[in-house]
Amino acid sequence: MSDTLERVATTIKARQGGDPKNSYVAQLEAAGLDAILKKIGEECAEVLIAAKGKKRQKVVYETADLWFHTLVMLAHMGLGPEDVLVELERREGISGLTEKSMRE
C-alpha cells in the first residue's frame, strides 16, 4: 500500500511547479504553507465530523483528503511519505507510552 503513497507523492512533486490554473497542487503551492496547513486543518475537522457521525465511507473519503493534503505539506517541506514511514518503522514494537516519554 505504501506504493500508492509513493505514486501520489511523485505526482504531487511533479505538479508543484506547474501552472496554478491547471493544477490544484500548484494552486496550493502558489498560496504557500499557510494555505496548505489551513486545508489540513479543514480536512482534520471533516474527518472528526464523519467519525463522530459514524459514517464509515465518509471517514474513508475524508481521510483520503487529509492524507493527500498532508502529502502536499510534506512535499512543500522537502519531505515525503518515506520519511514518515521510516519514523513509524522506528517506533514499531515500542510502547506508545515509552516512545512518547523518549521524546520529552
Side-chain angles (χ1 to χ4, degrees):
M1 282 199 227
S2 65
D3 291 346
T4 302
L5 292 175
E6 289 297 333
R7 285 193 307 273
V8 173
T10 298
T11 300
I12 288 168
K13 192 170 185 176
R15 294 182 181 169
Q16 279 182 303
D19 184 349
K21 294 178 185 172
N22 299 322
S23 167
Y24 178 64
V25 170
Q27 285 177 13
L28 287 172
E29 278 293 316
L33 183 59
D34 286 348
I36 296 167
L37 297 176
K38 181 179 178 188
K39 279 304 295 180
I40 291 172
E42 291 170 6
E43 298 304 339
C44 284
E46 290 173 4
V47 168
L48 296 173
I49 292 165
K52 184 71 174 161
K54 299 181 182 176
K55 298 176 181 172
R56 292 170 48 89
Q57 190 54 45
K58 186 80 170 163
V59 167
V60 170
Y61 179 85
E62 296 301 346
T63 300
D65 284 351
L66 175 59
W67 286 14
F68 173 80
H69 288 92
T70 300
L71 288 170
V72 171
M73 177 201 60
L74 289 170
H76 183 84
M77 299 181 73
L79 299 166
E82 66 280 357
D83 297 295
V84 178
L85 293 173
V86 165
E87 177 60 17
L88 287 173
E89 288 173 5
R90 183 191 70 77
R91 295 179 186 189
E92 191 172 7
I94 301 171
S95 158
L97 297 173
T98 301
E99 194 282 326
K100 187 173 180 179
S101 71
M102 290 168 45
R103 287 188 267 158
E104 295 173 353

